[in-house]
Amino acid sequence: MQSRKFDAFVQALDEAVNGAERTEAAILKDAEALVRDLISVDDWLPDAYAQPHPDYYQQYCLHVCPRDTFSVVSFVWGPGQYTPVHDHTVWGVIGMLRGSETSERYVRQPDGRYTSAGVDTLHPGMTECVSPDIGDVHKVSNALDDQVSISIHVYGANIGKVERHVFVPETGEAKSFVSGYAQPQV
Ligand code: FE
């Protein structure tokens, strides 16, 4: 993917993530600021990475650090599409580029069930962070039922290869999954 703006973003992110003795909190702070800057103007994402699928939300890989210490993904939501309740197991920053999405946060109860801890609605320019330390379980939905929405995600690993979990919140049942990536529509 070629974009001068995106290349500068990746380079700054590489310094923020791979610098010496970086704490997760410091990485998240820097990565969130970089994502906020990247999504402040919606003029750089190639159409190939912005195409919805009629049946599934799409996860297009925009960049993976050669050391697998971070990855950048465009999530493309068709009208009405949503994820199951899931975790990430690594830090992540979500930035809304186009349209709108909702993120319903879930917390694990002592009996193992997951219950809703509230819903955040993201509009273009807004960001949200996840990690096992600050809250890692949520369900994300396209907030719009007549329009495509797109968010840009950065994760502290090659997220398409990470084994993580989807949950049945009512029972706490967990299933492992590995998301992979969608093929860009070039
Ligand atoms: Fe997520």
Side-chain angles (χ1 to χ4, degrees):
M1 200 191 94
Q2 293 201 325
S3 153
R4 189 171 293 180
K5 183 191 275 191
F6 185 77
D7 290 348
F9 166 76
V10 165
Q11 192 173 340
L13 199 55
D14 183 65
E15 287 165 21
V17 173
N18 292 324
E21 297 184 30
R22 301 286 294 168
T23 63
E24 181 184 286
I27 290 171
L28 271 176
K29 184 164 177 277
D30 290 350
E32 186 173 27
L34 291 168
V35 168
R36 191 173 290 137
D37 187 50
L38 178 72
I39 61 169
S40 63
V41 182
D42 180 9
D43 64 354
W44 57 271
L45 183 68
D47 286 345
Y49 299 87
Q51 299 302 315
H53 185 282
D55 300 325
Y56 318 101
Y57 61 93
Q58 296 287 66
Q59 304 165 72
Y60 297 108
C61 182
L62 304 181
H63 179 81
V64 177
C65 171
R67 295 157 70 177
D68 272 1
T69 52
F70 70 90
S71 53
V72 187
V73 182
S74 68
F75 271 63
V76 181
W77 310 92
Q81 292 176 350
Y82 57 90
T83 70
V85 177
H86 64 277
D87 67 6
H88 311 83
T89 75
V90 294
W91 62 262
V93 178
I94 297 144
M96 202 75 221
L97 182 71
R98 200 177 298 174
S100 178
E101 70 186 35
T102 57
S103 171
E104 183 166 23
R105 289 170 284 115
Y106 280 81
V107 289
R108 185 180 165 90
Q109 300 300 322
D111 63 7
R113 292 179 305 117
Y114 286 83
T115 56
S116 175
V119 178
D120 299 315
T121 301
L122 298 185
H123 298 288
M126 294 175 67
T127 56
E128 180 170 68
C129 297
V130 294
S131 94
D133 285 351
I134 62 174
D136 194 37
V137 179
H138 68 172
K139 172 182 177 167
V140 181
S141 309
N142 189 346
L144 308 175
D145 55 18
D146 60 351
Q147 211 174 303
V148 171
S149 292
I150 301 176
S151 50
I152 305 301
H153 300 213
V154 178
Y155 298 101
N158 182 353
I159 195 68
K161 294 205 291 194
V162 173
E163 183 171 340
R164 45 203 180 110
H165 310 91
V166 296
F167 301 98
V168 179
E170 295 81 6
T171 62
E173 182 193 352
K175 278 191 189 142
S176 294
F177 81 105
V178 178
S179 69
Y181 297 113
Q183 284 300 316
Q185 310 294 300
V186 287

